[in-house]
Amino acid sequence: MKKKFGLLVTLALTASLALTACGNGGGAAAPNGANGASGEKAKKIALIMRQNVGTFSAQYINGVKKEVEKNGGELTVFNADTDLAKMASNLDAAVNQHFDGILIDHGTAEALQQGTQKAVDKKIPVVLFDTDIKIAGVPTVAQDDQKLADLSLEKLAADNGNKGNIVKIWVAGFAPMEKRQITYDAFLKKYPDIKEVAAFGSATNNTALDTQSQMEAILKKYPNKGDITAVWAAWDEFGKGATRAIQQAGRTEIKVYSIDLSDEDLQMIQEANSPWTATAAVDPSNIGRIQAETVFKKIKGEEVPDNVNLNPVLVQQSDLPKDKKVTMADLSQYVQEWGK
């Protein structure tokens, strides 16, 4: 009888604890009182990423996460590790699991158009970033990729007297890259004395390291001072790899101009004798914040434009102080338009 009574008490306590956990959202309390005193259920947001590589992506995700939490939501990140088929599968999973909102990062229409339409048909709001899907009512957050390319390329031309031999690091198959290439083609026509002597680039799970190895091979092919004037890197992961290769080879007369920016990039740009001269960028955390903000507006039934364009800024090595390390958080002190 004592054993039976003890078992009943244990079961009663277990049931009581289970009910308490359900009342608190199944564990830790949801942010901003979601599932709490207000009784409002936390909105589940899915972030469908093509890849999660480098500090730019980390800061972008952090911007998404902060905005989701600010709105009392819960974020789940689906990383496809550069595999578009896996990305499409992740999108289907998010739709089938009835997420309240879906964010897509660097997808393609070929891989994700059908899945996005499925989400729309199920009344799940979708917001895109750097993705070429065109569906009415699905907003796109964009950085103005052609302006990013123009800012960085024009700085390259101005610094080098509108002439020289350049290496392009770029990769096909990404919507922003394709837009940047349009500007690059126009740039070469505008400046006939600027010649492309080499071009390469691949998006991998170790993009910066792989770029470094490829750039080392290029430097061996062009070993003399003056063979290469500058490198144009269409992504900051390319910029990191090129910069490290140039530094290790002692070829810092070759200057690097890029697109995108992160805390790690800033540290490299500020290094003594760094060849990384300038980069055109939008704050990645701000991109994530605005994308998440937009999906919550859609969830609430608010009207939002189909295109949300963010203004790029050119950040130059010469803008930064020599006596202290600058981070993205305090960059606006030195670059007036940053974050606006």
Side-chain angles (χ1 to χ4, degrees):
M1 281 295 291
K2 286 183 179 179
K3 287 183 179 180
K4 188 174 180 181
F5 179 76
L7 179 60
L8 289 170
V9 170
T10 301
L11 289 171
L13 286 169
T14 302
S16 175
L17 288 169
L19 287 169
T20 301
C22 289
N24 287 331
N32 289 356
N35 276 356
S38 69
E40 184 180 346
K41 185 179 178 182
K43 300 299 183 184
K44 297 191 303 176
I45 307 299
L47 172 56
I48 311 297
M49 301 186 71
R50 183 165 176 173
Q51 61 182 22
N52 178 5
V53 174
T55 47
F56 182 96
S57 290
Q59 290 171 203
Y60 161 73
I61 293 170
N62 189 51
V64 172
K65 186 173 182 289
K66 284 185 175 180
E67 187 65 22
V68 169
E69 290 179 349
K70 176 184 171 183
N71 284 274
E74 298 172 354
L75 179 67
T76 301
V77 178
F78 295 83
N79 177 23
D81 295 315
T82 75
D83 184 341
L84 282 169
K86 183 178 178 182
M87 192 178 187
S89 178
N90 287 341
L91 175 57
D92 286 341
V95 173
N96 292 333
Q97 291 172 35
H98 305 290
F99 275 79
D100 298 293
I102 295 174
L103 308 174
I104 296 178
D105 169 42
H106 284 87
T108 68
E110 184 179 5
L112 303 179
Q113 184 91 15
Q114 186 174 351
T116 304
Q117 187 62 59
K118 184 179 175 182
V120 171
D121 292 343
K122 288 181 174 289
K123 310 299 183 187
I124 300 173
V126 180
V127 180
L128 313 173
F129 168 53
D130 273 350
T131 299
D132 61 352
I133 293 169
K134 301 292 184 186
I135 296 176
V138 176
T140 298
V141 176
Q143 305 183 76
D144 193 343
D145 289 286
Q146 290 183 268
K147 185 175 179 181
L148 284 166
D150 186 63
L151 286 170
S152 55
L153 287 165
E154 286 295 333
K155 176 63 177 170
L156 184 159
D159 285 354
N160 297 285
N162 300 337
K163 60 185 179 181
N165 298 324
I166 66 172
V167 174
K168 178 186 75 171
I169 312 180
W170 174 89
V171 63
F174 291 79
M177 291 289 180
E178 302 293 349
K179 294 173 187 174
R180 294 167 192 180
Q181 179 64 27
I182 293 170
T183 301
Y184 180 80
D185 289 339
F187 170 78
L188 290 182
K189 291 176 182 177
K190 181 179 178 180
Y191 298 103
D193 292 330
I194 294 178
K195 308 293 184 184
E196 179 190 292
V197 297
F200 69 92
S202 56
T204 70
N205 288 326
N206 295 289
T207 298
L209 188 59
D210 292 341
T211 300
Q212 181 177 343
S213 298
Q214 291 171 295
M215 189 66 205
E216 286 168 354
I218 295 292
L219 292 172
K220 289 176 182 176
K221 185 177 179 181
Y222 297 94
N224 302 312
K225 186 174 182 178
D227 287 347
I228 300 171
T229 308
V231 172
W232 182 64
W235 179 20
D236 65 326
E237 290 299 302
F238 293 151
K240 291 175 194 174
T243 296
R244 287 170 183 149
I246 290 167
Q247 287 174 318
Q248 290 186 15
R251 298 283 300 279
T252 53
E253 80 279 359
I254 301 170
K255 302 306 178 185
V256 176
Y257 302 82
S258 69
I259 293 174
D260 295 335
L261 188 62
S262 71
D263 282 331
E264 183 182 359
D265 301 344
L266 279 170
Q267 290 177 12
M268 293 180 68
I269 291 168
Q270 286 192 275
E271 288 174 3
N273 299 316
S274 173
W276 203 339
T277 302
T279 191
V282 173
D283 185 345
S285 62
N286 202 35
I287 295 168
R289 180 188 66 78
I290 289 173
Q291 190 182 12
E293 178 183 66
T294 303
V295 86
F296 275 100
K297 286 181 178 179
K298 293 284 290 183
I299 289 170
K300 295 170 185 174
E302 297 178 19
E303 290 293 325
V304 299
D306 284 343
N307 294 289
V308 181
N309 294 312
L310 307 178
N311 188 44
V313 175
L314 184 68
V315 178
Q316 304 177 63
Q317 188 183 60
S318 58
D319 293 330
L320 307 177
K322 305 291 186 185
D323 58 345
K324 63 170 288 189
K325 293 298 181 184
V326 176
T327 68
M328 302 286 275
D330 53 14
L331 184 58
S332 60
Q333 297 177 30
Y334 306 97
V335 181
Q336 188 175 6
E337 296 302 313
W338 184 255
K340 294 182 179 179

